[in-house]
Amino acid sequence: MIYADEAYRKLKTLIYKGKLRPGQRLVERQLATRLKISRIPLRESLARLENEGLVRTIPNSATYVEDFPPRQVLEMYSMRLLLEPEATRLATVQQPAGLVGKLRKLCGQMTKETKVGDWARLDQTDYEFHYAIVEASKHSLLLRSYENCHIQITGIRSDYNNLKHLPVNATAKDHLAIVDCIAAGDPAGAARATHEHVARALRAMETHLGIDLGTQK
């Protein structure tokens, strides 16, 4: 039996991976069968997702997956520029055991995924890399803010455009610059490398979507 917390996580993952599409109507009966869950915990899960802005209920109508307009997708992504440099600085100060090894392993995965053009998996690995750093900051409110930005949704909404046109080793190399600063115990350098990395990705996304947020002036 799947309960509300697990159903909530499964639904959120389906939205993040595009298995529940933007604007798609969510039929309770179908979802209950798909997740093997009763209607009550399903409704609890949908209520949580609505509070987070991932689904939208129209009174006396139905519940739909939120269809974020391009500017909002870009704004969600741009929150990385505000949150991640400070998270990386704190993670470097905290230096939890195993962090550097985990990050280097993820960089290796990025190179493999770039070689075979597995953009969805590369996007997920990229998110796991940055999430590991934010989590290592030991700053609970910063982590919560990061999770509430729904950054995972931005890759699929932009068709992974910020990843597709890079040389094979470019993604891993960019991330390794951050790892090297963390390993060296250089908080300022780690924050700077993170800011530069996210700023480049944000510029690519702005170009793809034809929108300039003006955050990098």
Side-chain angles (χ1 to χ4, degrees):
M1 175 68 71
I2 294 179
Y3 296 98
D5 281 347
E6 188 177 351
Y8 158 79
R9 289 192 295 271
K10 285 180 176 291
L11 284 169
K12 198 170 188 178
T13 299
L14 289 172
I15 293 171
Y16 281 162
K17 291 187 175 181
K19 300 296 178 67
L20 294 175
R21 301 181 308 280
Q24 179 177 340
R25 181 177 179 177
L26 299 176
V27 180
E28 285 189 7
R29 182 182 66 260
Q30 294 174 355
L31 284 177
T33 300
R34 183 173 184 174
L35 298 176
K36 298 184 171 124
I37 186 174
S38 65
R39 295 286 185 90
I40 292 176
L42 176 61
R43 286 169 184 163
E44 291 175 9
S45 303
L46 291 172
R48 287 178 66 180
L49 293 171
E50 184 166 21
N51 285 335
E52 294 180 7
L54 284 175
V55 304
R56 174 172 44 91
T57 299
I58 298 176
N60 302 316
S61 178
T63 299
Y64 299 86
V65 178
E66 187 61 78
D67 189 2
F68 297 104
R71 184 176 183 86
Q72 192 169 352
V73 170
L74 199 55
E75 287 176 353
M76 290 156 68
Y77 194 89
S78 73
M79 289 298 293
R80 295 183 59 190
L81 202 59
L82 301 175
L83 298 173
E84 288 190 29
E86 176 62 7
T88 310
R89 185 188 71 79
L90 291 172
T92 305
V93 172
Q94 296 285 348
Q95 201 72 248
L99 176 63
V100 169
K102 178 178 182 178
L103 296 177
R104 291 196 190 282
K105 182 178 179 181
L106 289 169
C107 286
Q109 287 178 217
M110 289 179 198
T111 297
K112 292 177 184 177
E113 289 152 4
T114 304
K115 284 180 179 177
V116 299
D118 190 346
W119 309 119
R121 185 59 232 173
L122 176 60
D123 186 64
Q124 177 63 30
T125 303
D126 179 87
Y127 180 78
E128 289 173 12
F129 177 96
H130 292 284
Y131 186 88
I133 293 174
V134 176
E135 191 173 38
S137 73
K138 307 296 184 187
H139 193 305
S140 59
L141 291 180
L142 195 158
L143 178 60
R144 187 182 304 170
S145 297
Y146 192 75
E147 290 174 335
N148 288 342
C149 290
H150 306 308
I151 292 162
Q152 279 178 283
I153 224 165
T154 61
I156 195 167
R157 298 296 172 86
S158 64
D159 194 30
Y160 308 118
N161 186 70
N162 59 317
L163 302 173
K164 287 182 177 178
H165 307 296
L166 296 172
V168 170
N169 295 321
T171 302
K173 183 178 179 181
D174 222 23
H175 288 78
L176 282 170
I178 300 171
V179 181
D180 288 342
C181 288
I182 295 174
D186 179 3
R192 184 169 54 253
T194 300
H195 187 279
E196 291 171 355
H197 163 65
V198 176
R200 279 193 292 274
L202 180 57
R203 281 195 295 271
M205 196 165 276
E206 285 179 326
T207 299
H208 174 65
L209 295 175
I211 299 171
D212 183 355
L213 290 179
T215 58
Q216 303 178 73
K217 298 296 189 288

